[in-house]
Amino acid sequence: MGAPRTLAARLLRAVVRLVPEESRDWALAMLHELDFIEGDWAAFFWALGSTSAILRHVASVSRAWSKQKRSQEAGMNNTGKKVLGVGLGILSALALVGCLFAGLRITGILFPGLGLEHSRWAYWLAVMAIPESIFVVATILLWRKKGPIAAGILATGLAMALHIGVHLALR
Amino acid sequence: MKLRLSPQTLLVLDAFLDHAEDWKYGYDLSRVTGLKSGTLYPILMRMAERKLLETEWEQGEPGKPPRHMYRFTPEGLQFARANAGAHVRRGLGQVALGLVEG
C-alpha cells in the first residue's frame, strides 16, 4: 500500500471517528470504497473529495437541526405569549366587572338616597349592559393588534352573557 | 420531493436508470458519471434524504469491507423517468438559444 493510499485511509478513518451519528454511515461508505479504487493517487483524491462531502453534510445537518430548534423555541414562545394574552384579557374583563360592581355598592352605601341597593336596573346596568358594551368595543379595537387579549375579553363577555342567560331562563 | 436538477444530478439519475433494479456502488457510479466523490456523494445523500434512493450494506467477501449500495426506490424511479432526458432537452434549448457552439 503506497503512502497516498495510507494517508487516504487514515484521513477517512479519522472522519468516521469524528463525524456525528447521522453522517457516520456515509463516511463509512466512502472509507470502504477505498479498497476498490485502483491507483493510490486516485484513492487519495477520493478521500479528499469524500472528506469535503462529509463535512458539508455535517454542516447541513447542523444547520437543519438548529433551524428546527429555533422554530420549536419560537413556537413555544408564541404559545406562551398567546396563553398569557388570553389570561390578561380575562383578568382585565373580570377586573372591570368587579370595579363596576364595587362602584355600584359603594355609591349605594355613600348615597343611600339614590336607592341603588334595591334597584334591579342599576345592577343590570353595572353587571351586564356597561361591561358587555365595553367588551364588545374592546374586542373590536384589540382584535387585530392584540388578538389573544381580545379573545380573553370576548370569552369573559360570552361566559357572562351565558351565565345571565341561564339565570334569566331559570327564573 | 424537490431535487435540484443540476447537470451532475441528471448524470447520476441516468446512471441509476441503467439497469435500474440493480444495486450500485459509489465508486462505480463515480467512474460511470465521471464525477468526483466530493460531487457524487452530496447528490447521493440528497437523493437518499428525499427517499429517492434506498441504501444497504452488502455483506462482502471475507477480508473485504462491506460496501454501501444504492438503488432507486419506486418514487425515485418514477422521478428519474419523469426527468429522463431533461439534460437533452436543456441542451436542445441551449442550442436553440445559440448558447452552445458548433
Side-chain angles (χ1 to χ4, degrees):
Chain A
M1 192 188 281
R5 185 180 288 274
T6 310
L7 199 60
R10 279 189 188 163
L11 176 64
L12 282 179
R13 275 194 212 108
V15 168
V16 168
R17 270 202 310 277
L18 294 173
V19 291
E21 196 63 39
E22 300 84 38
S23 308
R24 188 155 297 148
D25 259 14
W26 287 103
L28 263 178
M30 297 164 188
L31 171 66
H32 290 182
E33 285 301 299
L34 266 187
D35 283 23
F36 301 89
I37 297 174
E38 297 144 11
D40 289 352
W41 282 106
F44 178 73
F45 288 116
W46 174 269
L48 284 186
S50 298
T51 305
S52 111
I54 210 76
L55 290 179
R56 276 180 282 153
H57 187 244
V58 170
S60 80
V61 168
S62 309
R63 269 200 307 275
W65 182 81
S66 58
K67 192 175 168 186
Q68 193 184 357
K69 201 176 166 200
R70 271 202 306 274
S71 73
Q72 272 175 356
E73 280 172 3
M76 280 170 70
N77 284 346
N78 279 343
T79 310
K81 278 181 188 170
K82 280 178 187 166
V83 171
L84 193 70
V86 172
L88 199 64
I90 293 172
L91 276 179
S92 313
L94 290 176
L96 176 75
V97 176
C99 287
L100 284 172
F101 190 71
L104 183 71
R105 293 298 298 271
I106 290 166
T107 311
I109 293 166
L110 291 177
F111 306 101
L114 294 174
L116 292 177
E117 288 286 303
H118 306 290
S119 166
R120 187 183 290 174
W121 287 110
Y123 273 95
W124 282 120
L125 203 66
V127 177
M128 177 76 187
I130 295 174
E132 289 288 346
S133 311
I134 293 173
F135 292 162
V136 170
V137 172
T139 302
I140 293 169
L141 289 178
L142 293 174
W143 191 256
R144 286 210 174 161
K145 288 191 174 172
K146 305 270 180 193
I149 295 178
I153 293 171
L154 184 64
T156 311
L158 288 175
M160 275 181 58
L162 188 70
H163 172 76
I164 290 164
V166 169
H167 179 72
L168 285 177
L170 289 177
R171 288 185 70 184
Chain B
M1 200 206 309
K2 282 182 184 172
L3 186 74
R4 198 168 65 88
L5 289 172
S6 64
Q8 292 85 354
T9 306
L10 291 169
L11 278 174
V12 176
L13 289 179
D14 277 356
F16 273 108
L17 273 176
D18 186 30
H19 296 95
E21 68 285 356
D22 294 347
W23 289 100
K24 293 178 173 64
Y25 306 111
Y27 182 52
D28 295 348
L29 285 166
S30 169
R31 278 195 307 187
V32 168
T33 57
L35 298 175
K36 307 284 181 204
S37 57
T39 309
L40 173 70
Y41 274 101
I43 294 171
L44 295 179
M45 289 166 183
R46 277 197 294 274
M47 287 172 73
E49 275 164 13
R50 286 159 178 76
K51 313 276 183 222
L52 299 176
L53 278 189
E54 53 182 325
T55 65
E56 203 162 291
W57 286 101
E58 181 191 49
Q59 294 310 314
E61 310 151 26
K64 289 267 181 187
R67 291 182 87 176
H68 212 207
M69 309 182 292
Y70 316 96
R71 187 169 72 175
F72 271 140
T73 59
E75 294 82 22
L77 190 57
Q78 199 180 350
F79 177 82
R81 284 191 175 141
N83 291 288
H87 57 305
V88 175
R89 289 196 293 274
R90 199 175 288 177
L92 285 173
Q94 285 179 338
V95 169
L97 291 169
L99 297 173
V100 176
E101 291 178 14

